[in-house]
């Protein structure tokens, strides 16, 4: 069966690190004819078979199947993996330089490093809280100005006519603000598009996404991760400033831990949920963590929440009153509205199923919309125009819904509406539809949660749910920094409150209905169901919802609702974030290997043969290996041949491309060392100064004479890389790779000779989805 795909990227543009005009290559796992290089003196093994690339309308034929009886690859588009994404080096490279530095460090030195980690986490939390405070104030001011201007304009033209001017004003204001954000994203930083959560999930999973933690705009989770990446490294690549601090943390092992703390601090600042923030980071990186790291992340989350509370209390002229836990304040459920009975739990579970169905529909529609954008709306100017179009259409639909609505509600003395719009209602009344549309989404959610029964009629909620559902689906994926959390909560709160109103009609004249079918209670359950049906988060989302509402009473119902929504939604389609991760061809690894994959072994998933280097290798061979654009490998087993023996060389270490580039840059050659032409011994600081963007091999100048020199890799290679026998089962390989955060896993035979190499892409190809293993077994037959 033909395998047809489309080259895509996070930004819909070529990666800056790639060659000009170069597309994003994709890998589907099937091998093309092998291309081997001649071994240098001493003999080294051959390179990995060239990774196949495909383009739009290109077919993968059966001639490219495995030549050694390996199972065929599943010919599905989602199995294609982009070569632009590499793994993080989370496992420490324990070479001689690293071990010497660690052994020289005293106990007090290690204690100072631990204190520095706490200081960095505190700074991350503090700065993330400040950013959240700034965002909250700016959004409140801009929204206030926009809604007040439009409200006054509508009231002015309601009686005299000319409401079309009000509509035009609203659409222009919406489009102008969106245009500014879209231009920044589309033309300057495409990676900032969307919520940033798929990218951060990938980073926490161990994938290096280009520019994902560079200085940029973004929602709070993404912003917290960006702050963490900059603060922990003591420098900013975007600002071209190096403060010469925290240099020890300039490696993937430390940086990823701090980014986890930043993401948690962002969640905490957004929802006022410190524990939920920790669990959010935990869902993708738990296998890497230890107890002390968890406490540091929780510390960053708490500092973020406290900082936001403190400065917002000053802004609201109530210094010291810490009553603003997060940007999104759902209000507290108190009194009879929090009561629920045992017989309501099946109703909550049913609402979870509805949320799963609606979430699956949302994800399917957004998937096809994203495919359309990839094919036809890929230019920055078109992306900006689409964002402006959505903003104008949203304003038009909102205005039309408000204009034709006759849902008038009395305006009481203690009304909580920020901008009550009278329109054609009588004096002392306001338009209820305007309450849903004519507010920021956060305030609308709070109104649906806490307004008194009778505030909305069923027709208003039904129409609002329908229109907002499709508008939110169209909006997610635009070239703007915007997420799906609040729109999902608002959709769910609307149809959840509608369910509460309909249930209350079961006992129309009974006072019991006011308590057990409180519409605000069902609005909360509907919000959780809709959000869970779209994003498929369970543990962290349960805690976030409980913390955001300030009441643990609904902990069990929310948990059951989210589990039901996930089970029902997963039956039809994956979660929204997983869909977008797959669309980018990212080699994302889930928690476990496929349940029925024990019949696969390391020999069947590894890449082979492997490009190996001798322990003492010729410089020209290393340069040629690194310059080979057909492979672009990042890890090379180091082998040594027993003197006077005809046996093939055996494994003695592993060295990375980045290390070899630094060695070539500093001319660490055996001949120069013997002639004492080198000024000093290479140190770990030289590698840390080059991190994280090591220079390309094309920028390293090596003369013809230097190509004949030799390079001793003994001191710089990892002499104890992780290895597995070739008969190891796939689940065991997967668990070892995932739990230790590996980038390369060497497969050896009984004589410790390299027979293959397992990387993230090798495992991702074989982590098949639903029915994938069955198809693979059929393909073998």
């Amino acid at each position: 069966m033909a395998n047809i795909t489309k080259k895509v990227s996070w930004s819909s543009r070529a990666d800056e690190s790639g060659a000009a005009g170069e597309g994003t290559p994709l890998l589907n796992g099937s091998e093309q004819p092998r291309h081997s290089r001649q071994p240098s003196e001493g003999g080294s093994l051959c390179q990995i078979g060239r990774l196949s690339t495909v383009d739009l309308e290109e077919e993968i034929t059966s001639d490219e199947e495995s030549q050694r009886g390996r199972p065929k690859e599943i010919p599905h588009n989602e199995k294609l993996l982009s070569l632009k994404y590499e793994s993080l080096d989370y496992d420490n490279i324990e070479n001689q330089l690293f071990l010497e530095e660690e052994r020289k460090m005293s106990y007090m030195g290690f204690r100072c490093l631990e204190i520095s980690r706490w200081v960095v986490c505190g700074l991350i939390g503090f700065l993330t809280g400040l950013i959240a405070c700034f965002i909250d104030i700016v959004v409140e001011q801009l929204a206030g100005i926009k809604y007040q201007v439009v409200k006054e304009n509508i009231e002015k033209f309601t009686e005299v006519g000319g409401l079309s001017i009000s509509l035009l004003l609203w659409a222009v204001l919406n489009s102008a603000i969106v245009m500014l954000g879209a231009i920044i994203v589309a033309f300057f930083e495409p990676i900032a598009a969307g919520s940033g959560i798929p990218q951060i999930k990938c980073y926490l999973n161990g994938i290096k996404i280009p520019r994902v933690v560079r200085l940029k705009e973004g929602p709070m989770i993404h912003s917290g991760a960006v702050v963490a990446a900059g603060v922990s490294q003591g420098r900013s690549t975007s600002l071209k400033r190096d403060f010469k601090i925290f240099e020890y943390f300039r490696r993937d092992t430390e940086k990823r831990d701090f980014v986890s703390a930043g993401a948690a601090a962002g969640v905490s600042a957004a929802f006022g949920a410190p524990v939920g923030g920790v669990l959010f980071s935990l869902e993708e990186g738990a296998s890497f963590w230890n107890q002390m790291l968890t406490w540091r992340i929780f510390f960053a989350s708490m500092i973020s929440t406290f900082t936001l509370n403190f400065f917002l209390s000053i802004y609201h002229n109530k210094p010291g009153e810490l009553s603003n836990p997060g940007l999104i304040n759902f209000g507290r459920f108190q009194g009879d509205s929090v009561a629920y009975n045992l017989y309501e739990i099946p109703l909550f579970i049913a609402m979870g199923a509805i949320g799963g169905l609606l979430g699956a529909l949302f994800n399917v529609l957004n998937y096809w919309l994203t495919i359309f954008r990839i094919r036809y709306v890929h230019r920055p100017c078109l992306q900006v125009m689409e964002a402006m179009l959505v903003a104008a259409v949203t304003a038009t639909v909102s205005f039309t819904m408000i204009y034709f609505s006759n849902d008038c509600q009395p305006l009481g003395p203690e009304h909580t509406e920020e901008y009550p719009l009278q329109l054609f209602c009588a004096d002392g009344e306001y338009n209820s539809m305007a309450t849903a549309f004519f507010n920021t989404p956060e305030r609308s959610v709070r109104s649906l949660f806490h307004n008194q029964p009778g505030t909305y009629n069923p027709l208003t909620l039904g129409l609002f749910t329908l229109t907002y559902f499709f508008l939110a689906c169209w909006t997610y994926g635009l070239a703007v920094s915007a997420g799906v959390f609040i729109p999902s909560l608002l959709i769910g709160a609307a149809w959840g409150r509608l369910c509460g109103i309909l249930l209350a009609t079961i006992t129309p004249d009974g006072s019991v209905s006011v308590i057990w079918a409180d519409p605000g209670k069902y609005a909360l359950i509907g919000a959780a169901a809709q959000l869970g049906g779209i994003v498929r988060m369970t543990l962290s989302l349960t805690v976030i919802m409980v913390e955001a509402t300030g009441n643990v009473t609904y902990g069990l119902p929310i948990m059951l609702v989210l589990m039901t929504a996930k089970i029902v939604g997963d039956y039809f389609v994956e979660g929204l974030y997983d869909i977008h991760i797959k669309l980018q061809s990212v080699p994302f690894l889930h928690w476990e290997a496929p349940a029925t994959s024990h019949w696969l072994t390391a020999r069947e998933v590894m890449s082979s043969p492997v490009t190996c280097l001798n322990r003492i290798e010729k410089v020209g061979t290393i340069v040629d290996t690194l310059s080979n654009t057909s492979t672009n490998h990042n890890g090379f087993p180091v082998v040594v041949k027993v003197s006077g023996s005809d046996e093939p060389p055996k494994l003695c270490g592993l060295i990375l491309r980045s290390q070899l580039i630094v060695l070539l840059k500093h001319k660490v050659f055996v001949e120069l060392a013997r002639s004492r032409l080198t000024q000093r011994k290479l140190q770990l600081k030289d590698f840390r100064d080059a991190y994280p963007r090591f220079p390309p091999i094309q920028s390293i100048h090596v003369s013809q004479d230097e190509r004949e020199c030799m390079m001793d890799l003994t001191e710089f290679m990892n002499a104890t890389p992780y290895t597995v026998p070739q008969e190891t089962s796939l689940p065991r390989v997967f668990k070892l790779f995932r739990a230790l955060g590996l980038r390369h896993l060497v497969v050896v035979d009984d004589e410790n000779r390299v027979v293959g190499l397992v990387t993230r892409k090798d495992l991702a190809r074989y982590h098949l989805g639903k029915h994938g293993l069955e198809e693979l077994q059929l393909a073998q037959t």
Side-chain angles (χ1 to χ4, degrees):
M1 182 166 57
N3 193 349
I4 303 174
T5 188
K6 168 73 176 174
K7 296 187 288 185
V8 297
S9 64
W10 287 110
S11 60
S12 298
R13 297 195 317 202
D15 181 37
E16 292 186 7
S17 62
E22 218 176 25
T24 303
L26 300 174
L27 164 67
N28 77 336
S30 56
E31 295 183 46
Q32 292 184 356
R34 306 252 169 83
H35 301 275
S36 303
R37 68 169 175 86
Q38 294 296 325
S40 58
E41 295 182 8
S44 62
L45 300 181
C46 299
Q47 65 183 21
I48 299 177
R50 181 178 178 181
L51 303 178
S52 63
T53 59
V54 295
D55 201 345
L56 183 64
E57 310 266 332
E58 183 178 357
E59 295 187 353
I60 303 301
T61 64
S62 59
D63 294 337
E64 297 171 351
E65 296 167 3
S66 176
Q67 300 176 359
R68 296 166 60 182
R70 203 181 300 178
K72 299 177 184 179
E73 292 297 334
I74 300 302
H76 288 173
N77 293 347
E78 63 266 24
K79 300 301 176 283
L80 298 170
L81 305 175
S82 174
L83 297 178
K84 69 181 287 189
Y85 301 118
E86 298 296 340
S87 300
L88 297 173
D89 292 310
Y90 193 74
D91 181 44
N92 280 323
I93 305 299
E94 292 191 350
N95 54 22
Q96 292 183 17
L97 294 182
F98 176 82
L99 294 176
E100 287 176 7
E101 182 183 76
E102 297 291 303
R103 289 164 182 165
K104 290 179 182 179
M105 194 175 299
S106 64
Y107 176 78
M108 185 57 65
F110 282 109
R111 297 297 297 173
C112 291
L113 280 177
E114 188 63 24
I115 293 173
S116 298
R117 292 188 180 98
W118 284 90
V119 171
V120 171
C121 286
L123 286 173
I124 291 170
F126 177 74
L127 293 176
T128 303
L130 282 181
I131 292 173
C133 182
F134 172 79
I135 291 175
D136 187 65
I137 294 173
V138 171
V139 169
E140 181 179 336
Q141 293 296 324
L142 289 178
I145 294 173
K146 184 183 80 169
Y147 287 123
Q148 190 62 38
V149 169
V150 176
K151 178 177 180 293
E152 292 176 355
N153 196 274
I154 290 177
E155 291 175 345
K156 175 183 177 182
F157 291 104
T158 298
E159 295 184 0
V160 300
L163 281 175
S164 57
I165 298 177
S166 302
L167 169 60
L168 183 62
L169 176 63
W170 194 354
V172 168
L173 287 175
N174 270 14
S175 300
I177 297 173
V178 168
M179 181 184 67
L180 179 61
I183 288 175
I184 295 175
V185 170
F187 287 95
F188 298 101
E189 197 58 83
I191 194 68
S195 64
I197 293 181
Q199 295 93 318
I200 297 302
K201 280 189 64 174
C202 291
Y203 190 91
L204 297 183
N205 190 260
I207 305 168
K208 187 180 298 182
I209 305 296
R211 301 180 66 86
V212 68
V213 288
R214 295 284 291 272
L215 187 63
K216 64 177 72 65
E217 62 170 320
M220 281 313 306
I221 296 175
H222 200 171
S223 296
V226 171
V227 168
V231 171
S232 64
Q233 304 301 290
R235 64 182 177 187
S236 172
T237 305
S238 301
L239 300 178
K240 295 181 171 52
R241 293 292 303 274
D242 190 345
F243 300 98
K244 304 295 182 182
I245 57 175
F246 307 136
E247 293 180 334
Y248 182 85
F249 302 143
R250 294 178 182 178
R251 48 180 169 160
D252 289 342
T253 308
E254 300 283 351
K255 186 176 181 180
R256 183 182 176 278
D257 292 343
F258 289 120
V259 170
S260 299
V267 174
S268 179
F271 297 96
V275 179
V278 175
L279 293 176
F280 174 84
S281 296
L282 184 68
E283 283 195 71
E284 295 305 325
S287 58
F288 301 96
W289 287 17
N290 54 54
Q291 183 180 17
M292 193 57 66
L293 173 60
T294 306
W295 275 109
R296 289 199 301 268
I297 293 176
F298 183 59
F299 175 68
S301 297
M302 292 300 298
I303 292 296
S304 176
T305 301
F306 175 81
T307 302
L308 177 64
N309 265 272
F310 178 76
F311 284 99
L312 284 183
S313 68
I314 297 176
Y315 171 72
H316 294 299
N317 295 319
K318 298 178 181 178
E321 183 180 307
L322 306 180
S323 59
N324 299 281
L327 298 181
I328 303 167
N329 186 2
F330 295 147
R332 296 184 178 274
F333 285 79
Q334 297 175 344
D336 294 336
S337 63
V338 300
Y340 69 92
N341 296 286
L342 183 63
Y343 54 79
E344 290 184 271
I345 291 181
L347 296 176
F348 296 154
I349 294 176
M351 293 180 66
I354 295 173
L357 291 173
L358 292 177
L361 176 62
F362 185 98
N363 293 352
V364 170
L365 293 176
N366 188 263
Y367 169 80
W368 288 110
L369 183 60
T370 303
I371 294 296
F372 177 83
R373 287 190 177 118
I374 291 172
R375 291 179 178 271
Y376 303 109
V377 194
H378 52 273
R379 294 186 179 181
C381 57
L382 294 177
Q383 293 172 349
V384 173
M385 292 174 62
E386 185 197 15
M388 294 176 63
L389 175 64
V390 173
V393 170
T394 301
T396 303
V397 171
S398 302
F399 188 89
T400 304
M401 297 283 288
I402 295 172
Y403 182 83
F404 287 102
S405 173
N406 57 0
D407 184 8
C408 298
Q409 300 293 336
L411 188 62
E414 298 181 357
H415 69 85
T416 59
E417 314 310 326
E418 190 73 18
Y419 306 101
L421 191 63
Q422 181 178 355
L423 204 60
F424 299 113
C425 295
D427 292 340
E429 294 182 339
Y430 69 97
N431 188 297
S432 182
M433 182 70 79
T435 304
F437 276 114
F438 207 69
N439 264 314
T440 60
E442 294 87 348
R443 294 183 184 274
S444 298
V445 171
R446 192 158 60 246
S447 298
L448 290 168
F449 282 175
H450 298 288
N451 277 13
Q452 295 297 318
T455 304
Y456 301 91
N457 67 38
L459 181 60
T460 297
L461 293 174
L463 290 175
F464 176 80
T465 300
L466 185 64
T467 56
Y468 209 88
F469 180 91
F470 290 105
L471 287 174
C473 185
W474 190 11
T475 300
Y476 188 79
L478 292 175
V480 292
S481 293
V484 74
F485 261 66
I486 300 304
S488 301
L489 290 171
L490 183 52
I491 295 168
W495 67 257
R497 191 177 180 97
L498 175 61
C499 290
I501 294 174
L502 296 179
L503 287 171
T505 61
I506 296 175
T507 54
D509 298 324
S511 59
V512 177
S513 64
V514 179
I515 298 176
W516 79 266
D518 180 82
K521 172 174 59 178
Y522 283 84
L524 173 63
I525 298 300
Q530 184 66 55
L531 182 56
I534 291 177
V535 302
R536 312 289 164 77
M537 297 166 61
T538 52
L539 179 62
S540 60
L541 190 54
T542 299
V543 177
I544 288 172
M545 294 294 292
V546 169
E547 289 185 284
T549 55
N551 197 307
V552 75
T553 305
Y554 287 121
L556 177 62
I558 290 175
M559 181 187 71
L560 293 175
V561 165
L562 291 175
M563 290 176 61
T564 305
K566 177 175 173 57
I567 292 171
V568 173
D570 284 344
Y571 182 80
F572 297 99
V573 68
E574 292 181 299
L576 184 64
Y577 299 143
D578 294 323
I579 287 174
H580 279 262
I581 288 172
K582 276 194 171 183
L583 283 172
Q584 313 311 317
S585 304
V586 179
F588 189 89
L589 293 184
H590 296 274
W591 284 111
E592 301 290 343
T596 58
S597 61
H598 283 81
W599 56 276
L600 285 172
T601 64
R603 182 179 60 251
E604 293 166 316
V605 300
M606 68 185 184
S607 295
S608 64
V610 182
T611 301
C612 295
L613 299 175
N614 291 300
R615 187 169 57 84
I616 300 179
E617 186 65 270
K618 183 183 293 185
V619 172
T621 300
I622 295 176
V623 172
D624 293 340
T625 301
L626 298 182
S627 302
N628 188 351
T629 57
S630 66
T631 55
N632 198 32
H633 301 321
N634 288 281
F636 304 92
V638 181
V639 297
V640 61
K641 186 174 182 179
V642 180
S643 178
S645 173
D646 294 332
E647 295 182 0
K650 298 184 178 181
L651 177 69
C652 66
L654 180 74
I655 195 163
L656 302 178
R657 168 182 290 268
S658 58
Q659 294 174 298
L660 293 172
I661 287 178
V662 173
L663 296 179
L664 290 172
K665 180 181 178 181
H666 290 272
K667 312 292 184 183
V668 185
F669 307 150
V670 173
E671 289 77 5
L672 295 181
R674 291 173 181 172
S675 61
R676 297 185 180 180
L677 295 178
T678 52
Q679 298 180 354
R680 63 178 178 83
K681 181 180 178 181
L682 205 64
Q683 300 176 350
L684 280 183
K685 185 180 184 302
D686 298 296
F687 294 91
R688 290 168 181 161
D689 288 342
Y691 177 84
R693 274 164 284 283
F694 296 93
I697 184 61
Q698 291 78 12
S699 66
I700 306 298
H701 175 70
V702 178
S703 66
Q704 191 61 39
D705 291 337
E706 290 174 335
R707 287 179 58 89
E708 301 301 321
C709 295
M710 305 299 292
M711 183 182 292
D712 190 349
L713 306 180
T714 306
E715 190 177 5
F716 311 101
M717 69 181 185
N718 183 359
T720 56
Y722 289 100
T723 63
V724 293
Q726 53 186 334
E727 297 302 327
T728 306
S729 67
L730 175 59
R732 191 170 184 84
V733 171
F734 191 96
K735 187 176 298 183
L736 182 66
F737 199 96
R738 183 79 164 89
L740 298 178
L742 302 181
R743 188 176 185 183
H744 304 94
L745 182 61
V746 185
V747 182
V748 296
D749 60 12
D750 296 338
E751 302 296 329
N752 199 36
R753 293 173 296 196
V754 179
V755 296
L757 196 67
V758 176
T759 64
R760 170 177 289 271
K761 292 188 176 73
D762 297 318
L763 293 178
R765 288 202 306 266
Y766 283 84
H767 193 93
L768 307 179
K770 185 170 58 175
H771 307 309
L773 286 174
E774 289 80 357
E775 294 183 31
L776 183 58
Q777 289 172 327
L778 288 175
Q780 279 191 300
T781 61

